Amino acid sequence: GNSVTQMEGPVTLSEEAFLTINCTYTATGYPSLFWYVQYPGEGLQLLLKATKADDKGSNKGFEATYRKETTSFHLEKGSVQVSDSAVYFCALNAGNNRKLIWGLGTSLAVNP
Amino acid sequence: GAGVSQSPSNKVTEKGKDVELRCDPISGHTALYWYRQSLGQGLEFLIYFQGNSAPDKSGLPSDRFSAERTGGSVSTLTIQRTQQEDSAVYLCASSPQGTSGSRTGELFFGEGSRLTVL
């Protein structure tokens, strides 16, 4: 079946550090891949997405590349800010919206 | 506001009581979803509504859970005879697309209703 595995948190970084949050998936067919972010006290919101192999999603300085050969969609940012402190969720859509499959979330804390 | 609205934001109830959670989706969004977010468990799909089609209830954990969507807009999730294991954050999301075409998968979430069953 379809599944998403992302690195466990919490992740604690200093401001301007490089961030990687790993995400790997198992899916039949050709899923779309997503990163959602949940800031403190707010609802989940889409951060970036990629719908086919080798696509790179990017937003707010974050990037993730859809790697079919390694079944991965790792989230990266070159220089994190305190305002990036949030919980990040990797998810896949294997063909219909109701079955978005979610990772467990990775909590990120960025210290000044 | 223009976003997905959920109420109540917090609900504390006693074991055995019934609770209702409300979701008001973004105007014009035809698809509505309920998820449950438990500590350390990720997001668990509960139920999905798309237009006038029969809802997909495949994620409801027991027959104590039910949901309605009236007039294609507001939805209510009802939990009867609550149990302590029902304690979680219940998230509602809406989307302009259903299952027929788009795979973009962008869902717009409310802030959730935190349910605590004592």
Coordinates of all heavy atoms in Angstrom, one line a residue, chain B residues 35-79:
Chain B
Y35 N -10.4 15.1 8.9 CA -9.2 14.3 9.4 C -9.1 14.4 10.9 O -9.7 15.3 11.5 CB -7.9 14.9 8.8 CG -7.7 14.6 7.4 CD1 -8.2 15.4 6.4 CD2 -6.9 13.5 7.0 CE1 -7.9 15.2 5.0 CE2 -6.6 13.2 5.6 CZ -7.1 14.1 4.7 OH -6.9 13.9 3.3
R36 N -8.5 13.4 11.4 CA -8.2 13.4 12.9 C -6.6 13.4 13.1 O -5.9 12.6 12.4 CB -8.8 12.2 13.5 CG -8.6 12.1 15.0 CD -9.5 11.1 15.7 NE -9.2 9.7 15.3 CZ -9.8 8.7 15.8 NH1 -10.8 8.9 16.7 NH2 -9.5 7.4 15.5
Q37 N -6.2 14.3 13.9 CA -4.8 14.4 14.2 C -4.5 14.1 15.7 O -4.9 14.9 16.5 CB -4.3 15.8 13.9 CG -2.8 16.0 14.0 CD -2.4 17.4 13.6 OE1 -3.2 18.4 13.6 NE2 -1.1 17.6 13.3
S38 N -3.9 12.9 15.9 CA -3.6 12.5 17.2 C -2.1 12.7 17.5 O -1.3 12.5 16.5 CB -4.0 11.1 17.5 OG -5.4 10.9 17.2
L39 N -1.7 12.9 18.7 CA -0.3 13.0 19.0 C 0.5 11.8 18.6 O 0.2 10.7 19.0 CB -0.1 13.3 20.5 CG 1.2 13.8 21.0 CD1 1.5 15.1 20.4 CD2 1.3 13.9 22.5
G40 N 1.5 12.0 17.8 CA 2.3 10.9 17.3 C 1.7 10.0 16.3 O 2.3 9.0 15.9
Q41 N 0.5 10.4 15.8 CA -0.2 9.5 14.9 C -0.4 10.1 13.5 O -0.9 9.4 12.6 CB -1.6 9.1 15.4 CG -1.6 8.4 16.7 CD -1.0 7.0 16.6 OE1 -1.2 6.3 15.7 NE2 -0.1 6.7 17.6
G42 N 0.1 11.3 13.3 CA -0.1 11.9 12.0 C -1.6 12.2 11.7 O -2.4 12.3 12.6
L43 N -1.9 12.4 10.4 CA -3.3 12.7 10.1 C -4.0 11.5 9.6 O -3.6 10.7 8.7 CB -3.3 13.7 9.0 CG -3.3 15.2 9.4 CD1 -1.9 15.6 9.9 CD2 -3.7 16.1 8.3
E44 N -5.2 11.2 10.2 CA -6.0 10.1 9.8 C -7.2 10.5 9.1 O -8.0 11.3 9.6 CB -6.4 9.4 11.1 CG -7.3 8.2 11.0 CD -7.8 7.6 12.3 OE1 -7.5 8.3 13.4 OE2 -8.5 6.6 12.3
F45 N -7.4 10.0 7.9 CA -8.6 10.4 7.1 C -9.9 9.8 7.7 O -9.9 8.6 8.2 CB -8.4 9.8 5.7 CG -9.7 9.8 4.9 CD1 -10.2 11.0 4.3 CD2 -10.4 8.6 4.7 CE1 -11.4 11.0 3.6 CE2 -11.6 8.6 3.9 CZ -12.1 9.8 3.4
L46 N -10.9 10.6 7.8 CA -12.2 10.1 8.4 C -13.2 10.0 7.3 O -13.8 8.9 7.1 CB -12.6 11.1 9.5 CG -11.7 11.2 10.7 CD1 -12.3 12.2 11.7 CD2 -11.5 9.8 11.4
I47 N -13.6 11.1 6.6 CA -14.7 11.1 5.7 C -14.5 12.2 4.7 O -13.8 13.2 4.9 CB -16.0 11.3 6.5 CG1 -17.2 11.1 5.5 CG2 -16.1 12.6 7.1 CD1 -18.6 11.0 6.3
Y48 N -15.1 12.0 3.5 CA -15.0 12.9 2.4 C -16.3 13.1 1.7 O -17.0 12.2 1.5 CB -13.9 12.3 1.4 CG -14.0 12.8 0.0 CD1 -13.4 14.1 -0.3 CD2 -14.5 12.1 -1.0 CE1 -13.4 14.6 -1.6 CE2 -14.5 12.6 -2.3 CZ -13.9 13.8 -2.6 OH -13.9 14.3 -3.9
F49 N -16.6 14.4 1.5 CA -17.8 14.8 0.7 C -17.4 15.4 -0.6 O -16.5 16.3 -0.6 CB -18.7 15.8 1.5 CG -19.2 15.2 2.8 CD1 -18.5 15.4 4.0 CD2 -20.5 14.7 2.9 CE1 -19.0 14.9 5.2 CE2 -21.0 14.2 4.1 CZ -20.2 14.3 5.2
Q50 N -18.1 15.1 -1.6 CA -17.9 15.7 -2.9 C -19.2 16.0 -3.6 O -19.9 15.1 -4.0 CB -17.0 14.9 -3.8 CG -16.9 15.3 -5.3 CD -16.4 16.8 -5.4 OE1 -15.7 17.3 -4.6 NE2 -16.9 17.5 -6.4
G51 N -19.6 17.3 -3.6 CA -20.8 17.7 -4.2 C -22.0 16.9 -3.7 O -22.2 16.8 -2.5
N52 N -22.8 16.4 -4.6 CA -24.0 15.6 -4.2 C -23.8 14.1 -4.2 O -24.7 13.4 -4.0 CB -25.1 15.9 -5.2 CG -25.6 17.4 -5.1 OD1 -25.6 18.0 -4.1 ND2 -25.9 18.0 -6.3
S53 N -22.5 13.7 -4.4 CA -22.2 12.3 -4.4 C -22.3 11.7 -2.9 O -22.2 12.5 -2.0 CB -20.8 12.0 -4.9 OG -20.7 12.5 -6.2
A54 N -22.5 10.4 -2.9 CA -22.5 9.8 -1.6 C -21.1 9.9 -0.9 O -20.1 9.8 -1.6 CB -22.8 8.3 -1.7
P55 N -21.1 10.3 0.4 CA -19.8 10.5 1.0 C -19.0 9.2 1.1 O -19.5 8.1 1.2 CB -20.2 11.0 2.4 CG -21.5 10.6 2.6 CD -22.2 10.5 1.3
D56 N -17.7 9.4 1.1 CA -16.7 8.3 1.4 C -16.5 8.2 2.9 O -15.8 9.0 3.4 CB -15.4 8.5 0.6 CG -14.4 7.4 0.9 OD1 -14.6 6.6 1.7 OD2 -13.4 7.5 0.2
K57 N -17.1 7.2 3.5 CA -17.0 7.1 4.9 C -16.0 6.1 5.4 O -16.0 5.6 6.5 CB -18.4 6.7 5.5 CG -19.5 7.6 5.1 CD -20.8 7.1 5.7 CE -22.0 7.9 5.3 NZ -23.3 7.4 5.9
S58 N -15.1 5.7 4.5 CA -14.3 4.5 4.7 C -13.3 4.7 5.9 O -12.7 3.8 6.4 CB -13.5 4.2 3.5 OG -12.7 5.3 3.0
G59 N -13.0 6.0 6.3 CA -12.1 6.2 7.3 C -12.7 6.4 8.7 O -12.0 6.5 9.7
L60 N -14.0 6.4 8.8 CA -14.6 6.5 10.2 C -14.3 5.3 11.0 O -14.5 4.1 10.6 CB -16.1 6.6 10.0 CG -16.7 7.9 9.3 CD1 -18.2 7.8 9.2 CD2 -16.2 9.1 10.0
P61 N -13.7 5.5 12.2 CA -13.2 4.4 13.0 C -14.3 3.5 13.6 O -13.9 2.4 14.0 CB -12.4 5.1 14.1 CG -13.0 6.5 14.2 CD -13.5 6.8 12.8
S62 N -15.5 4.0 13.8 CA -16.5 3.2 14.4 C -17.9 3.8 14.1 O -18.0 4.9 13.5 CB -16.4 3.0 15.9 OG -16.8 4.2 16.5
D63 N -18.9 3.0 14.4 CA -20.3 3.6 14.1 C -20.7 4.6 15.0 O -21.8 5.2 14.9 CB -21.3 2.4 14.0 CG -21.4 1.6 15.3 OD1 -20.8 2.1 16.3 OD2 -22.1 0.6 15.3
R64 N -19.8 5.0 16.0 CA -20.2 6.1 16.9 C -19.9 7.4 16.1 O -20.3 8.5 16.6 CB -19.3 6.1 18.1 CG -19.6 4.8 19.0 CD -18.8 4.9 20.3 NE -17.3 4.9 20.1 CZ -16.5 5.9 20.2 NH1 -17.0 7.1 20.5 NH2 -15.2 5.8 20.0
F65 N -19.2 7.4 15.0 CA -18.8 8.6 14.3 C -19.7 8.7 13.1 O -20.0 7.7 12.3 CB -17.4 8.5 13.8 CG -16.3 8.6 14.8 CD1 -16.1 7.6 15.7 CD2 -15.6 9.8 14.9 CE1 -15.1 7.8 16.7 CE2 -14.6 9.9 15.9 CZ -14.4 8.9 16.8
S66 N -20.2 9.9 12.8 CA -21.0 10.2 11.7 C -20.8 11.6 11.3 O -20.3 12.4 12.0 CB -22.5 9.9 11.9 OG -23.0 10.8 12.9
A67 N -21.1 11.9 10.0 CA -21.0 13.3 9.5 C -22.1 13.6 8.5 O -22.5 12.7 7.8 CB -19.6 13.5 9.0
E68 N -22.4 14.8 8.5 CA -23.4 15.3 7.5 C -22.8 16.6 6.8 O -22.1 17.3 7.4 CB -24.7 15.6 8.1 CG -25.5 14.5 8.7 CD -26.8 14.9 9.2 OE1 -27.0 16.1 9.6 OE2 -27.7 14.0 9.4
R69 N -23.3 16.8 5.6 CA -23.0 18.0 5.0 C -24.3 18.6 4.4 O -24.8 18.0 3.4 CB -22.0 17.9 3.9 CG -21.5 19.2 3.3 CD -20.4 19.0 2.3 NE -19.9 20.3 1.9 CZ -19.1 20.5 0.8 NH1 -18.8 19.5 0.1 NH2 -18.7 21.8 0.5
T70 N -24.8 19.7 4.9 CA -26.1 20.2 4.5 C -25.9 21.2 3.4 O -25.1 22.1 3.5 CB -26.8 20.8 5.7 OG1 -25.9 21.8 6.3 CG2 -27.1 19.8 6.7
G71 N -26.7 21.1 2.4 CA -26.7 22.0 1.3 C -25.4 22.2 0.6 O -25.1 23.2 -0.1
G72 N -24.6 21.2 0.7 CA -23.3 21.2 0.0 C -22.3 22.2 0.6 O -21.3 22.6 0.0
S73 N -22.6 22.7 1.8 CA -21.7 23.6 2.5 C -21.3 23.2 3.8 O -20.4 22.4 4.0 CB -22.4 25.0 2.5 OG -21.6 26.0 3.1
V74 N -21.9 23.6 4.9 CA -21.5 23.4 6.3 C -21.6 21.9 6.5 O -22.5 21.2 6.1 CB -22.4 24.1 7.2 CG1 -22.1 23.7 8.7 CG2 -22.2 25.6 7.1
S75 N -20.6 21.4 7.3 CA -20.6 20.0 7.7 C -20.5 19.9 9.2 O -19.9 20.7 9.9 CB -19.4 19.3 7.1 OG -19.3 17.9 7.5
T76 N -21.2 18.8 9.7 CA -21.1 18.5 11.2 C -20.6 17.1 11.3 O -21.1 16.2 10.7 CB -22.5 18.7 11.8 OG1 -23.0 20.0 11.6 CG2 -22.4 18.4 13.3
L77 N -19.6 17.0 12.2 CA -19.1 15.6 12.6 C -19.6 15.4 14.0 O -19.4 16.2 14.9 CB -17.5 15.6 12.6 CG -16.9 14.4 13.0 CD1 -17.1 13.2 12.0 CD2 -15.4 14.6 13.2
T78 N -20.3 14.2 14.1 CA -20.9 13.9 15.4 C -20.2 12.6 15.9 O -20.0 11.6 15.2 CB -22.4 13.6 15.2 OG1 -23.0 14.8 14.7 CG2 -23.0 13.2 16.6
I79 N -19.8 12.7 17.2 CA -19.2 11.5 17.9 C -20.2 11.2 19.0 O -20.4 12.0 19.9 CB -17.8 11.8 18.4 CG1 -16.9 12.4 17.3 CG2 -17.2 10.5 18.9 CD1 -15.6 12.8 17.8

